[in-house]
């Protein structure tokens, strides 16, 4: 007797699952090897520089970047800088030191409070926390580039893809370093790398923060948890429609928040807009790649 | 008679034709000294792949490339054939080409040039904006028997190697420059696709399939490497490492084509119904999607 059709085993093909981060899974070992190749190729082969300059904030992104640099160039060629402002949490500095102690790389602290406050006290006493945060970010970038010139090392970017897509960074500051190993990795993928690289546990498990105001967290600012945001971004940036995500079961409010953040910040991911008046406008008609 | 292929994966210096030719010449000499009969270099090995408008500044004619190859490989111990990818200037146009040269001490005779038929112009790729499309898919005779040379996206369309095989190719050499994407597993997903394509092509048509892959990073885009040699049964005969410069040697036994096609006469079956297929396509032009 053949098996009745009603009793045949049936396979349910995979459909996007809003509760699963499987689509964001990476082979952390292979990815680490690749990013180390990237750092060596961009710095040593292309630019003839074998030193890395990294601003270490105490957060997971800069920690992973420092770990990758130590693998690519050796701890002796990795220069970490702690650049605290008076409002920075002492815990951030402590976590930054955990990174440099574990790696055995160079570490230096340069307080930015006096330089930032000199401007604020004299000219802008009423500046908002956001403006102060942007000022701090720009001062930190200025210092890292100056240290780059002094040490003949390349500043290495630490921004991840989620932040970049959200525009959650200071324009021409956090995004300024000429190369960035993490910029195409979602936050949750950076976390996988951090676990593989054995970044100290307190850094991996604390809530991400821009460290501008006590108690502030990225996820509080953004209005959505990274894990949820990344799953949504994964589909949206491929071209799936927001309505489809909601149909699959993603939270409609979260999808809306994520989509609006991305839609409002395309300008932050581009160079400044130039008035085009010729047939040889740079980057519009005159097209040469960055490494040409 | 069996012969030896050397499949080279190298990282060129961007747009530096002289420096790259010098290294290519060194590689030819080394491979010839180690017994290679055919040395295959990747797509755009002479300049790097992403050149945008820079292609017109570095494109060479086939004849000029032959003259310069003859010079750098002037001390050859024995005749050796070379397949090399470069941007070719011809008849006032620039092509993404692969030329098969027969080298003897002091001379480099071009015996076939393939101009890339499918130019990727989507996502990270922008080829059709800068180079002209080739219009021929040919097989040609060489001292290794009948061959065909294809470039990169050419083999992502199964019809291209099919035409080459129908025209008599028993060895299909593919050269490519493939930026790595997808790190869910130890091998980048884009490279896994290439390997699947090569194995499918070799098994379906009973051909030796050789794949030479570029390595190195260009503006953050890292080429995979992972060159491959597949026998006419679809089995991997040799594989290069991911992301690193390497020379892959493979012994090519032409008789394997005969045996494989005897076991699975798919190509003969296809040839037998080719007229029906052509008629079918012609009679259903209205139904083609997208419409022509």
């Amino acid at each position: 007797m053949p098996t009745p059709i009603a009793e045949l085993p049936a396979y349910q093909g995979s459909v996007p699952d809003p509760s699963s981060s499987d689509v964001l899974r990476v082979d952390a070992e292979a990815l680490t090897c690749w990013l180390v190749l990237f750092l060596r190729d961009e710095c040593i082969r292309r630019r003839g520089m074998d030193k890395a300059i990294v601003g270490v904030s105490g957060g997971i992104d800069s920690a992973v970047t420092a770990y990758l640099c130590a693998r690519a160039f050796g701890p002796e060629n990795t220069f970490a800088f702690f650049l605290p402002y008076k409002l920075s949490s002492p815990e951030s500095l402590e976590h930054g030191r955990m990174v440099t102690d574990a790696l055995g790389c160079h570490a230096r602290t340069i307080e930015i409070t006096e330089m930032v406050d000199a401007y604020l006290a004299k000219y802008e006493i009423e500046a908002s926390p956001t403006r102060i945060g942007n000022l701090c970010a720009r001062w930190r970038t200025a210092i890292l580039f100056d240290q780059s010139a002094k040490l003949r090392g390349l500043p290495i970017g630490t921004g991840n893809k989620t932040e970049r897509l959200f525009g959650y960074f200071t324009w021409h500051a956090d995004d300024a370093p000429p190369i960035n190993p993490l910029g195409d990795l979602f936050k949750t993928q950076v976390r996988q790398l951090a676990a593989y690289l054995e970044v100290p546990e307190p850094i991996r498990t604390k809530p991400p923060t821009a460290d501008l105001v006590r108690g502030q967290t990225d996820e509080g600012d953004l209005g959505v948890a990274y894990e949820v945001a990344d799953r949504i971004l994964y589909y949206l940036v491929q071209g799936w429609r927001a309505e489809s995500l909601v149909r699959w079961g993603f939270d409609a409010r979260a999808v809306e928040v994520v989509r609006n953040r991305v839609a409002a910040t395309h300008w932050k991911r581009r160079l400044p807009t130039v008035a085009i008046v010729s047939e040889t406008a740079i980057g519009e008609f005159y097209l040469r790649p960055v490494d040409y | 008679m069996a012969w030896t292929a050397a499949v080279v994966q190298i990282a060129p210096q961007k747009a530096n034709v002289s420096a790259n030719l010098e290294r290519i010449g060194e590689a030819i000499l080394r491979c010839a000294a180690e017994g290679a009969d055919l040395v295959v270099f990747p797509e755009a090995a002479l300049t790097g792949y992403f050149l945008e408008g820079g292609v017109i500044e570095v494109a060479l004619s086939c004849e000029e490339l032959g003259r310069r190859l003859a010079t750098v490989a002037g001390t050859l111990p024995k005749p050796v054939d070379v397949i090399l990818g470069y941007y070719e200037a011809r008849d006032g146009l620039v092509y993404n080409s692969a030329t098969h040269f027969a080298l003897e001490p002091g001379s480099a005779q071009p015996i076939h040039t393939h101009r890339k038929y499918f130019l990727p112009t989507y996502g990270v790729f922008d080829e059709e904006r800068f180079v002209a499309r080739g219009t021929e898919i040919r097989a040609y005779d060489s001292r290794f028997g009948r061959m065909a040379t294809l470039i990169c996206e050419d083999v992502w369309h199964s019809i291209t190697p099919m035409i080459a095989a129908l025209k008599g190719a028993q060895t299909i050499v593919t050269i490519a420059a493939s930026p790595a994407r997808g790190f869910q597993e130890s091998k980048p997903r884009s490279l896994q696709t290439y390997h699947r394509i090569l194995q499918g092509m070799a098994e379906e048509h009973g051909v030796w399939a050789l794949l030479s892959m570029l390595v190195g990073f260009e503006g953050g885009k890292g080429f995979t490497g992972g060159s491959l040699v597949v026998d006419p049964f679809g089995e991997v005969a040799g594989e290069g490492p991911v992301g690193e410069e390497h020379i892959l040697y493979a012994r090519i036994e032409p008789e394997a084509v005969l045996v494989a096609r005897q076991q699975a006469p798919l190509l003969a079956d296809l040839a037998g119904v080719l007229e029906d297929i052509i008629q079918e396509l012609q009679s259903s032009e209205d139904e083609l999607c997208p419409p022509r």
Side-chain angles (χ1 to χ4, degrees):
Chain A
M1 277 284 284
T3 309
I5 294 294
E7 291 172 22
L8 290 179
Y11 171 69
Q12 176 66 54
S14 64
V15 290
D17 179 359
S19 66
S20 165
S21 288
D22 272 4
V23 291
L24 297 162
R25 182 181 46 80
V26 293
D27 183 317
E29 184 181 358
L31 187 55
T32 296
C33 290
W34 190 256
L35 296 177
V36 166
L37 282 176
F38 163 80
L39 288 168
R40 287 182 184 150
D41 204 277
E42 286 290 341
C43 293
I44 301 172
R45 191 172 77 92
R46 188 181 151 211
R47 295 177 175 84
M49 300 170 92
D50 61 0
K51 295 187 184 73
I53 311 293
V54 188
V56 171
S57 68
I60 192 169
D61 299 322
S62 60
V64 167
T65 304
Y67 270 70
L68 290 171
C69 288
R71 283 203 180 199
F73 311 113
E76 69 281 12
N77 290 314
T78 300
F79 293 79
F81 288 87
F82 311 125
L83 304 164
Y85 179 62
K86 67 185 180 192
L87 298 177
S88 304
S89 151
E91 190 186 61
S92 299
L93 194 58
E94 191 186 310
H95 288 165
R97 289 203 185 286
M98 278 184 192
V99 170
T100 54
D101 287 350
L103 294 174
C105 65
H106 300 274
R108 185 175 173 194
T109 304
I110 299 177
E111 292 264 0
I112 62 168
T113 305
E114 272 182 43
M115 37 196 121
V116 172
D117 282 356
Y119 165 76
L120 290 175
K122 187 161 183 187
Y123 300 105
E124 295 292 341
I125 202 152
E126 300 291 328
S128 68
T130 303
R131 286 175 58 198
I132 295 172
N134 284 335
L135 264 180
C136 289
R138 293 199 164 97
W139 262 112
R140 289 179 178 122
T141 300
I143 289 166
L144 293 174
F145 272 79
D146 181 60
Q147 292 298 324
S148 158
K150 175 186 166 188
L151 297 165
R152 303 288 307 143
L154 201 66
I156 310 295
T158 63
N160 63 61
K161 189 174 185 172
T162 311
E163 286 176 354
R164 293 180 65 216
L165 284 168
F166 279 171
Y168 193 60
F169 58 89
T170 301
W171 201 38
H172 295 171
D174 314 334
D175 59 334
I179 69 167
N180 175 351
L182 304 186
D184 196 24
L185 292 173
F186 292 110
K187 184 79 173 185
T188 44
Q189 295 174 322
V190 174
R191 287 178 179 155
Q192 294 172 61
L193 277 190
Y196 169 75
L197 291 165
E198 297 180 347
V199 169
E201 203 252 344
I203 300 172
R204 286 192 276 125
T205 51
K206 69 178 177 180
T209 171
D211 204 13
L212 301 176
V213 179
R214 294 280 154 82
Q216 172 204 35
T217 64
D218 291 4
E219 293 172 339
D221 281 3
L222 296 168
V224 59
Y226 275 122
E227 202 162 308
V228 174
D230 285 355
R231 290 175 198 157
I232 294 170
L233 284 169
Y234 173 82
Y235 291 107
L236 282 186
V237 296
Q238 286 184 52
W240 291 97
R241 295 177 185 191
E243 299 78 40
S244 302
L245 271 69
V246 174
R247 187 161 42 81
W248 299 334
F250 280 99
D251 177 66
R253 191 203 63 85
V255 171
E256 192 63 13
V257 166
V258 169
R259 184 172 66 168
N260 289 346
R261 281 240 167 227
V262 176
T265 54
H266 291 300
W267 62 273
K268 276 186 109 169
R269 293 178 286 276
R270 304 300 296 242
L271 288 170
T273 302
V274 171
I276 308 303
V277 296
S278 77
E279 289 91 17
T280 54
I282 299 161
E284 303 286 350
F285 290 93
Y286 181 75
L287 299 170
R288 297 294 182 275
V290 65
D291 57 341
Y292 189 70
Chain B
M1 226 180 40
W3 51 280
T4 299
V7 181
V8 181
Q9 50 186 59
I10 52 169
Q13 284 185 42
K14 181 61 73 82
N16 192 338
V17 171
S18 297
N20 293 326
L21 253 180
E22 198 169 316
R23 280 193 94 215
I24 287 166
E26 283 173 25
I28 294 169
L29 289 173
R30 175 182 158 184
C31 293
E34 292 175 355
D37 300 297
L38 171 69
V39 188
V40 185
F41 293 92
E43 178 180 15
L46 201 58
T47 55
Y49 173 73
F50 288 105
L51 298 183
E52 298 180 359
V55 288
I56 62 166
E57 293 164 8
V58 297
L60 290 180
S61 70
C62 174
E63 294 74 19
E64 169 69 7
L65 177 57
R67 277 193 292 277
R68 294 179 71 169
L69 262 184
T71 308
V72 294
T75 55
L76 273 177
K78 59 162 196 162
V80 64
D81 285 23
V82 170
I83 293 173
L84 176 61
Y86 64 109
Y87 288 106
E88 180 196 18
R90 183 179 181 81
D91 300 333
L93 295 172
V94 177
Y95 295 93
N96 181 345
S97 299
T99 295
H100 183 147
F101 293 96
L103 265 66
E104 292 184 12
S107 86
Q109 197 62 38
I111 63 171
H112 177 74
T113 296
H114 172 73
R115 300 182 179 92
K116 193 169 180 178
Y117 196 85
F118 287 102
L119 298 176
T121 306
Y122 62 90
V124 76
F125 305 105
D126 212 6
E127 282 195 47
E128 199 139 13
R129 190 163 180 191
F130 302 108
V131 302
R133 190 173 79 77
T135 54
E136 294 176 342
I137 300 159
R138 293 275 172 87
Y140 60 95
D141 292 316
S142 75
R143 65 189 179 101
F144 314 110
R146 204 150 170 80
M147 303 179 60
T149 307
L150 300 172
I151 304 176
C152 204
E153 189 183 320
D154 288 346
V155 298
W156 285 57
H157 302 267
S158 57
I159 195 166
T160 328
M162 185 189 88
I163 290 170
L166 283 168
K167 289 186 173 185
Q170 298 190 13
T171 302
I172 297 179
V173 174
T174 304
I175 64 171
S178 175
R181 284 98 79 200
F183 278 86
Q184 290 83 359
E185 294 170 32
S186 61
K187 206 186 278 182
R189 193 176 58 240
S190 46
L191 180 60
Q192 290 181 32
T193 305
Y194 259 106
H195 287 185
R196 222 169 41 236
I197 287 169
L198 262 278
Q199 288 188 259
M201 168 208 305
E203 186 173 13
E204 180 177 354
H205 305 307
V207 294
W208 281 96
L210 278 59
L211 173 68
S212 174
M213 301 289 263
L214 205 69
V215 288
F217 283 81
E218 295 185 20
K221 300 169 281 285
F223 297 105
T224 57
S227 297
L228 198 72
V229 176
V230 184
D231 72 19
F233 304 94
E235 298 294 330
V236 172
E239 182 176 342
V242 171
E244 291 172 8
E245 294 192 308
H246 184 79
I247 299 171
L248 170 66
Y249 288 109
R251 193 80 180 142
I252 308 297
E253 178 58 73
E255 196 181 338
V257 172
L258 185 70
V259 176
R261 289 180 177 180
Q262 189 68 25
Q263 289 177 8
L266 298 177
L267 188 65
D269 292 351
L270 178 62
V273 299
L274 199 55
E275 278 187 25
D276 289 345
I277 291 174
I278 293 168
Q279 205 172 19
E280 176 62 28
L281 281 170
Q282 283 172 341
S283 69
S284 37
E285 275 208 15
D286 294 345
E287 299 163 20
L288 294 180
C289 184
R292 298 181 66 199

